[in-house]
Amino acid sequence: MSSFVRNAWYVAAWSREIGRQLTTRTILGENLVFWRREDGTPAVLVDRCPHKLAPLSLGTLVGDDLQCGYHGMTFNGSGQCVRIPGQAAIPPSASARTFALAERYGAVWIWMGDPALADAARIVEVRRHGEPGWALVDGQYLHFDCNYLNITDNLVDPAHTTYVHKGTIGNAAAEDVGVKVEQDDDHVLAYRWVNDSEPVPLVQAMGSFTGPVDRWQYYHLHLPSVSCVDFGSIAAGREHSEEEMDAGLRSFSYNFLTPETETTTHYFWLHLRNYHVDSAEAGAQVARLMTDTFLEDAAILARVQREQERTGVREFVRLAIDNAPARIRRLIARQQAQEAEQAAA
Ligand code: FES
Ligand SMILES: [Fe+2]
């Protein structure tokens, strides 16, 4: 059975990736071709001509439309055939499949479920995006060799940072600090405060703390697969309020997971920070550190995926730290059951 949720907005591409050339990407197992119309709006079709199934991405843009490279059938961005060479009548079946798109936060988002539900207001809010006092590391991309749910597990799992990320964002002080978990219908939050501890290497490098800090990790997962990690430090003993946290050293790391296939995932990410906001060097350093951190995750998750495939088992032992991942899996299963019901009705 597929692990995908279809009624959701996924990042299909960064805006800069889509232009007046044809760009291909596989999403939820579907081969797609993207381009921009002359007015700048993005368009997408399934990358398969309804005639002989030639990939449309081998064709050519003609104005706003896409002309198949095999026999020249031409489709507009709504999937309608607008021209068949040598034939005046266009049969109703001569259409290519398309999906709703929306552009926000420098990304092109795609909705691959029921088109009647494709409301752009449901795109997740990226906190502090575009606000003064916040610097953005934008438009980053990684490719993970695992099912997206292995990544959502990881992104609400503060416990692994001590081990997988010892050289980057973790340290041993957090080893035995418990994680609290909350949830509602489409959101799971795992969080913890590690009080009165040494700043971690990143905070050591970026902050100006002279003594111990209280540090927080809030791992939000907006279903099915947008993660926001709210991470920061304040001088030990200060109030744990939004105002104090914004006045401390704070960052929001967004990861937008888009399933490519059942065993591979597009990993789009951006990062907002409130420190060294005018420093290109700090931005480059954050980008390097985040990339190193995520590649540490990618490496272990690829191995986890292979073992899961080899054994057909996902986990043998359930630990207390699996509370948040288990909730996500349950909520995803519920969304899938709802979609299956709707499709049947
Ligand atoms: S395969 Fe596309 S027009 Fe024939
Ligand atoms: Fe990680």
Coordinates of all heavy atoms in Angstrom, one line a residue, residues 154-155 160-161 164-165 169 293-294 297, ligand 2:
N154 N 12.4 11.1 12.2 CA 13.7 11.7 12.6 C 13.5 13.1 13.0 O 14.2 13.6 14.0 CB 14.7 11.5 11.5 CG 16.0 12.2 11.7 OD1 16.2 13.4 11.5 ND2 16.9 11.5 12.3
L155 N 12.6 13.8 12.4 CA 12.5 15.3 12.6 C 11.6 15.6 13.8 O 11.5 16.8 14.2 CB 11.9 15.9 11.3 CG 12.8 16.0 10.1 CD1 12.1 16.4 8.9 CD2 14.0 17.0 10.4
H160 N 18.0 11.7 19.0 CA 19.1 11.3 18.1 C 20.2 12.3 18.0 O 21.3 12.0 17.5 CB 18.6 10.9 16.7 CG 18.3 12.0 15.8 ND1 17.2 12.8 15.8 CD2 19.1 12.5 14.8 CE1 17.3 13.7 14.9 NE2 18.4 13.6 14.2
T161 N 19.9 13.6 18.3 CA 20.9 14.7 18.1 C 22.2 14.4 18.9 O 23.3 14.7 18.4 CB 20.3 16.0 18.4 OG1 19.9 16.0 19.8 CG2 19.2 16.4 17.5
V164 N 23.8 11.2 16.6 CA 24.0 11.4 15.2 C 24.7 12.7 14.9 O 25.5 12.9 14.0 CB 22.7 11.3 14.4 CG1 22.9 11.6 12.9 CG2 22.0 10.0 14.6
H165 N 24.5 13.7 15.8 CA 25.0 15.1 15.5 C 25.9 15.6 16.5 O 25.9 16.8 16.9 CB 23.8 16.0 15.4 CG 22.7 15.6 14.3 ND1 23.1 15.4 13.0 CD2 21.4 15.4 14.5 CE1 21.9 15.0 12.4 NE2 20.9 15.0 13.2
I169 N 25.0 19.9 16.1 CA 24.1 20.6 16.9 C 23.8 19.9 18.3 O 23.0 20.4 19.1 CB 22.7 20.8 16.2 CG1 22.2 19.4 15.7 CG2 22.9 21.7 15.0 CD1 20.7 19.5 15.3
T293 N 24.6 18.6 9.0 CA 23.7 18.0 9.9 C 22.7 17.1 9.2 O 22.5 15.9 9.5 CB 22.9 19.0 10.7 OG1 23.9 19.9 11.4 CG2 22.0 18.4 11.7
F294 N 22.1 17.6 8.1 CA 21.1 16.8 7.4 C 21.7 15.6 6.6 O 21.1 14.6 6.5 CB 20.3 17.7 6.4 CG 19.5 18.8 7.1 CD1 19.4 20.1 6.5 CD2 18.9 18.6 8.3 CE1 18.7 21.1 7.1 CE2 18.2 19.6 9.0 CZ 18.1 20.9 8.4
D297 N 21.9 12.8 8.9 CA 20.6 12.1 9.0 C 20.4 11.3 7.8 O 20.0 10.1 7.9 CB 19.4 13.2 9.1 CG 19.4 13.9 10.4 OD1 19.5 13.2 11.4 OD2 19.1 15.1 10.4
Ligands
FE2 FE 18.9 14.9 12.7

